[in-house]
């Protein structure tokens, strides 16, 4: 199988991810921080080491990293934990349903109002689009690091600056950026970062995290046992316990740590360069195929993540994907859970075929895809 | 290590759990139901087969099983998704913080009032204790299947009958019962069942589920992409999509399926009998040790799950656990995230040392523990 669905979940994983997972299942599958026996203590140390790795990569204190089942859960905890009745929220025009459905739910419940800031290929214009929507009661800006459909990168630093100037909390959904493009909470003025562990960070499915700037107050979405302050009827005030109720996915968390080790050993910049190169190869090939319609700009460093959206002939996106599947090529078709983005790019009716290569994608894979496409 | 912390998470797991996990990581780690390529379709079939196994074990429709990170998340989804402002809720006196902190949060927010029904060793009395607290606005009863501290089983069927008679929704937190004692949603009148996958169901950590009776309405706690009805700004109405936003923990879910296969192959009754026998061995040994104080009744079929709580000499529970750890015996000490239960059993100040054997615990393990205890 030639796999271009890394935007959903990365495959294959680096070899150290599987070995670390198996090791975790055998040796670190104990309740960390709750037991006093050696295996529990060693497990807690291992889990903490992954907080350190994430903290170092994204500019957070290790204890302010809380693990979740996926990025969606983290985004829900971040947004729902941040707003109060009467607040106004701004989101981008390309947000995933993990954000759009959340703010819709809060709006339907009469808690918030929200506005949608247009995207522009001009970074300053995009940032201005957010600033123009700010009201007196705007308490929150939520923006993705990069579009999961069109691959365009948001000017997070500029949007973060605006948020900071106006004393507005800034949440970044890095579902498609974390592990590929540099994201730094301090430099980009990010208050809360949400990310999946199983996409560009190469951990197993079932992993994600929410990272919180020191001093950020969050109401809790999920309450329960933390092994700390057990007689307290409320969640503890301190992180990560405040955001981590119940048993963690230890093997998943340690797989995520192994994924970060892989990125650090290869170099994020090197991985990004490779992925941009193969994305460029796909883009160029599609550009030369008169039956293909491309919806994203030519891949460019710091402006794109390795994602391409296109359609073919007069086929529905699903038909193109099904025909490619017959050539053993895995792509995803449809709306990619992002109707807002498709509305903005005028592809809502048809959806798109999405190509997401990874560090493991070769030029040969790209050429095979381009040749196969001509046969469908 | 002699492991008596199965109440936190079971260890070791059956051998087929690891092999199925590795197989899942290699072959079924694709986004199920979102992609049209063969690997995605096969993954979706595998995930569905686990819904079928859970549904068959507990009496739910397969599509009404939604996967979560742990039981705590499921309990939060169940309770928070069930109540509306002005509701009254009844919980048991032995509830875990996964329930107690949730209802406290809702009470603090001015949404609900709640009362606590006393436990009694007499099943009819326990059920009556719930019934006595019912008010006109009681909309919900939440009760555990069995205490995670004292091992006593609740008369779920009787409480469920009362709930049904009064048209009150009934949620069961089966953190300590699922996989050991028979739980049947229809027979026990359960509307929503919450359970961990990694305890007595033998799956990996990072797994749990919420199972919902057909026709039960639940507001959503977590919103996001489902791969279905993507242009709908709200979560879909149908299960499991309504309760499953974002990427699932595929390898965890398939490990849970393998755990259920193990239980079905051994027979739940056989497993329960073995666990009761070793628990009885521990209980008898502790009864004969005049330095030990036992807090739970003698293990008895249908009245106990394999959990014992005790203290030793004038030691703190933590000291006893630490001294046992020197003998390579893993137990858990303290409050076990259940201050309510300790208040009820008058052990709040000291906590207890908890012993939770499993199908893999031998009489020799028990004898080693009893001998080691005399040396501390």
């Amino acid at each position: 199988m030639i796999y271009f669905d890394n935007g959903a979940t990365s495959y294959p994983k680096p070899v150290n991810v599987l070995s670390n997972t198996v090791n975790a299942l055998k040796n670190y599958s104990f309740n960390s921080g709750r037991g006093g026996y050696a295996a529990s203590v060693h497990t807690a140390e291992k889990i903490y080491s992954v907080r350190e790795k994430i903290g170092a990569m994204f500019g957070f204190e290790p204890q302010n990293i809380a693990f979740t089942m996926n990025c969606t859960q983290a985004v829900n905890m971040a947004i729902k934990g941040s707003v109060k009745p009467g607040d106004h929220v701004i989101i981008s025009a390309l947000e995933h349903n993990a954000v759009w459905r959340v703010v819709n739910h809060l709006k339907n419940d009469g808690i918030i109002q929200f506005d949608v800031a247009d995207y522009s290929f001009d970074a300053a214009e995009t940032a201005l689009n957010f600033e123009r929507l700010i009201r007196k009661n705007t308490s929150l800006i939520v923006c993705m690091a990069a579009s999961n459909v069109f691959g365009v990168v948001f000017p997070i630093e500029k949007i973060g600056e605006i948020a900071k100037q106006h004393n507005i909390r800034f949440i970044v959904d890095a579902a498609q950026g974390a592990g590929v493009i540099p994201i730094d909470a301090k430099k980009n003025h990010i208050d809360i970062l949400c990310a999946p562990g199983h996409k560009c960070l190469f951990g197993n499915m079932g992993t994600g995290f929410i990272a919180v700037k020191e001093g950020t107050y969050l109401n809790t979405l999920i309450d329960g046992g933390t092994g700390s302050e057990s007689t307290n009827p409320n969640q503890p005030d301190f992180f990560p316990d405040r955001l981590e109720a119940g048993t963690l996915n230890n093997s998943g968390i340690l797989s995520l740590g192994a994924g970060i080790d892989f990125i650090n050993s290869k170099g994020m910049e090197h991985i990004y360069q490779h992925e941009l190169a193969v994305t460029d190869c796909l883009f160029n090939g599609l550009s030369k195929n008169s039956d293909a319609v491309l919806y994203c700009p030519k891949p460019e460093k710091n402006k794109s993540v390795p994602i391409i959206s296109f359609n073919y002939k007069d086929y529905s996106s699903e038909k193109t994907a099904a025909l490619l599947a017959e050539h053993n090529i895995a792509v995803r078709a449809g709306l990619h859970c992002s109707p807002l983005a498709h509305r903005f790019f005028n592809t809502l009716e048809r959806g798109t075929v999405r190509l997401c290569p990874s560090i493991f994608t070769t030029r040969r894979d790209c050429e095979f895809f381009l040749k196969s496409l001509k046969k469908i």
Side-chain angles (χ1 to χ4, degrees), chain A:
Chain A
M1 176 176 56
I2 295 183
Y3 187 74
F4 285 117
D5 200 13
N6 290 282
T9 195
S10 55
Y11 179 86
K13 309 292 183 191
V15 286
N16 69 320
V17 169
L18 182 59
S19 60
N20 273 273
T21 303
V22 172
N23 189 25
L25 289 168
K26 289 180 176 170
N27 300 312
Y28 302 111
S29 287
F30 304 99
N31 226 330
S32 63
R34 264 88 150 177
Y37 47 95
S40 170
V41 173
H42 294 155
T43 297
E45 290 165 358
K46 280 281 182 184
I47 299 286
Y48 192 81
S49 75
V50 183
R51 299 189 206 276
E52 290 178 318
K53 288 171 191 177
I54 295 171
M57 181 171 270
F58 299 106
F60 290 91
E61 298 300 317
Q63 72 274 14
N64 291 4
I65 314 294
F67 295 107
T68 60
M69 189 170 90
N70 48 34
C71 188
T72 298
Q73 187 187 338
V75 168
N76 274 263
M77 289 163 71
I79 298 177
K80 291 175 180 170
S82 290
V83 297
K84 59 182 189 311
D87 279 356
H88 175 249
V89 176
I90 305 171
I91 70 171
S92 91
L94 308 187
E95 293 306 309
H96 188 275
N97 275 346
V99 169
W100 189 52
R101 282 181 171 171
V102 172
V103 292
N104 262 297
H105 193 155
L106 292 165
K107 187 186 172 189
N108 291 344
D109 284 354
I111 296 171
I112 66 159
Q113 292 294 317
F114 74 91
D115 278 305
V116 177
D118 280 351
Y119 172 79
S120 165
F121 291 115
D122 180 83
E125 182 66 23
T126 299
L128 256 181
N129 290 341
F130 277 88
E131 192 162 31
R132 285 191 195 106
L133 293 171
I134 292 173
R135 302 185 198 165
K136 268 193 173 172
N137 61 335
T138 304
S139 67
L140 187 62
I141 289 174
V142 187
C143 188
M144 55 188 7
S147 167
N148 66 309
V149 186
F150 301 101
V152 293
V153 167
F154 274 81
I156 291 301
E157 188 171 350
K158 290 190 201 305
I159 300 166
E161 265 171 26
I162 288 167
K164 196 189 171 194
Q165 282 165 20
H166 293 266
N167 199 25
I168 293 168
R169 181 173 291 187
F170 185 38
I171 296 175
V172 172
D173 170 5
Q176 298 299 335
V180 184
I181 50 173
I183 295 174
D184 184 284
K186 294 180 185 77
K187 195 176 159 219
N188 302 340
H189 310 293
I190 298 169
D191 294 296
I192 306 178
L193 180 73
C194 302
H198 62 99
K199 295 185 180 181
C200 298
L201 292 172
F202 296 111
N204 296 332
M205 297 171 85
T207 57
F209 65 85
I210 173 170
V212 179
K213 196 173 84 175
E214 189 62 36
T216 304
Y217 175 81
L218 265 180
N219 197 354
T220 54
L221 186 67
I222 296 171
D223 305 290
T226 53
S228 55
E229 297 187 359
S230 284
T231 58
N232 186 344
N234 308 307
Q235 288 305 99
D237 282 334
F238 55 87
F239 299 123
D241 295 32
R242 184 165 181 79
L243 302 176
E244 279 179 358
T247 302
L248 293 174
N249 176 3
N250 289 14
S251 69
I253 291 166
L254 297 188
S255 79
L256 169 52
I260 293 177
D261 288 345
F262 171 80
I263 294 170
N264 290 337
S265 71
K266 287 273 174 190
M268 196 191 288
E269 171 73 17
H270 166 79
I271 293 173
Y272 185 38
Q273 291 287 8
H274 173 86
E275 293 182 351
L276 273 184
V278 286
T279 307
D280 201 53
C281 175
L282 292 166
F283 185 91
N284 288 337
L286 287 167
S287 300
K288 287 175 196 151
N289 184 329
S290 59
D291 285 323
V293 185
L294 274 158
Y295 300 104
C296 45
K298 189 171 165 62
E300 198 180 330
K301 196 181 164 187
N302 298 330
K303 293 197 172 179
S304 316
V305 292
I307 292 176
I308 282 176
S309 255
F310 75 101
N311 272 312
Y312 201 61
K313 296 183 176 171
D314 61 348
Y315 300 167
S316 69
S317 56
E318 289 81 4
K319 180 176 176 179
T320 303
L323 291 170
L324 287 170
E326 290 176 11
H327 291 262
N328 211 19
I329 295 169
V331 300
R332 192 168 152 195
L335 298 182
H336 317 287
C337 298
S338 298
L340 278 195
H342 286 282
R343 193 179 297 162
F344 193 78
F345 276 84
N346 211 16
T347 50
L348 191 57
E349 208 175 314
R350 198 173 173 190
T352 60
V353 181
R354 186 177 72 170
L355 299 172
C356 304
S358 86
I359 181 72
F360 299 109
T361 307
T362 63
R363 281 181 181 276
R364 213 163 154 180
D365 294 336
C366 299
E367 283 154 17
F368 181 82
F369 159 78
L370 292 165
K371 269 186 204 160
S372 302
L373 186 67
K374 286 185 180 164
K375 294 179 191 161
I376 74 169

